[in-house]
Amino acid sequence: MMELLLSVFMGFTLPIMNGDVGAMFTPKNNSVLVVEAYFNACPYCHQNAPQVDDLASFYEKESRIEVLDVGVDRRDSDYTSWISKHQPNHLVLKDSDRKIISQLGTKSYPSTYILNCHGDVVFKTSGVWSKNTRQKIEDAIDAALDVMCD
């Protein structure tokens, strides 16, 4: 299963919804990904949005960390609504075919994943973040940064 995750997560491309029209996102080599799986009609996803922004701000000087909102909505207007409401300081990606979200095995929303530079999921949580959850996320990110990459 990890080989599949590696090939998917180190080589995936998704449309960026809060950038240049038509821009696509592909993870940088050696990056640690923080993936927040959400959809616009999910009230708990909206509760997590400011915390995801705060996390992105906390790690903004660490160039290896890429914080991503990965939505599963089909309509572009749902992404426009999300971006307008939350003004995210990180990328919002469209996974309407649920290719990445399915590979992660997402069953509930919001779900947060930390992936090391090899594409291995090293941490997963679902639901609204508590202070304890935030600390676990930070610990997982810091551990993922310690992984030696090519």
Side-chain angles (χ1 to χ4, degrees):
M1 181 71 169
M2 283 304 161
E3 284 184 31
L4 180 59
L5 288 176
L6 177 63
S7 65
V8 170
F9 290 109
M10 300 323 281
F12 76 89
T13 302
L14 290 175
I16 299 172
M17 301 307 289
N18 59 339
D20 296 331
V21 174
M24 301 295 280
F25 171 82
T26 300
K28 297 180 284 190
N29 288 338
N30 205 26
S31 64
V32 171
L33 302 181
V34 178
V35 175
E36 178 76 358
Y38 83 95
F39 65 97
N40 193 43
C42 165
Y44 304 110
C45 299
H46 286 279
Q47 288 180 26
N48 265 13
Q51 295 186 80
V52 177
D53 272 353
D54 186 60
L55 185 76
S57 293
F58 184 75
Y59 284 105
E60 71 184 341
K61 293 183 179 168
E62 177 51 70
S63 62
R64 287 184 56 206
I65 298 174
E66 299 185 80
V67 177
L68 310 168
D69 279 344
V70 179
V72 297
D73 294 293
R74 295 198 183 283
R75 298 178 311 189
D76 287 355
S77 61
D78 288 325
Y79 294 91
T80 302
S81 174
W82 179 268
I83 292 162
S84 176
K85 180 173 182 165
H86 298 293
Q87 300 291 309
N89 61 1
H90 55 279
L91 294 177
V92 176
L93 307 180
K94 181 179 182 179
D95 187 18
S96 58
D97 294 334
R98 300 178 185 209
K99 290 178 183 176
I100 302 307
I101 297 304
S102 293
Q103 291 297 319
L104 288 168
T106 305
K107 304 265 189 262
S108 61
Y109 295 88
S111 287
T112 308
Y113 303 88
I114 310 301
L115 290 85
N116 67 21
C117 58
H118 299 294
D120 301 324
V121 176
V122 296
F123 179 82
K124 176 193 179 223
T125 188
S126 296
V128 177
W129 298 1
S130 67
K131 287 182 184 179
N132 187 38
T133 303
R134 167 66 185 254
Q135 186 59 56
K136 289 178 181 179
I137 290 169
E138 288 180 24
D139 292 346
I141 291 169
D142 293 342
L145 286 170
D146 289 339
V147 171
M148 296 301 293
C149 301
D150 298 338

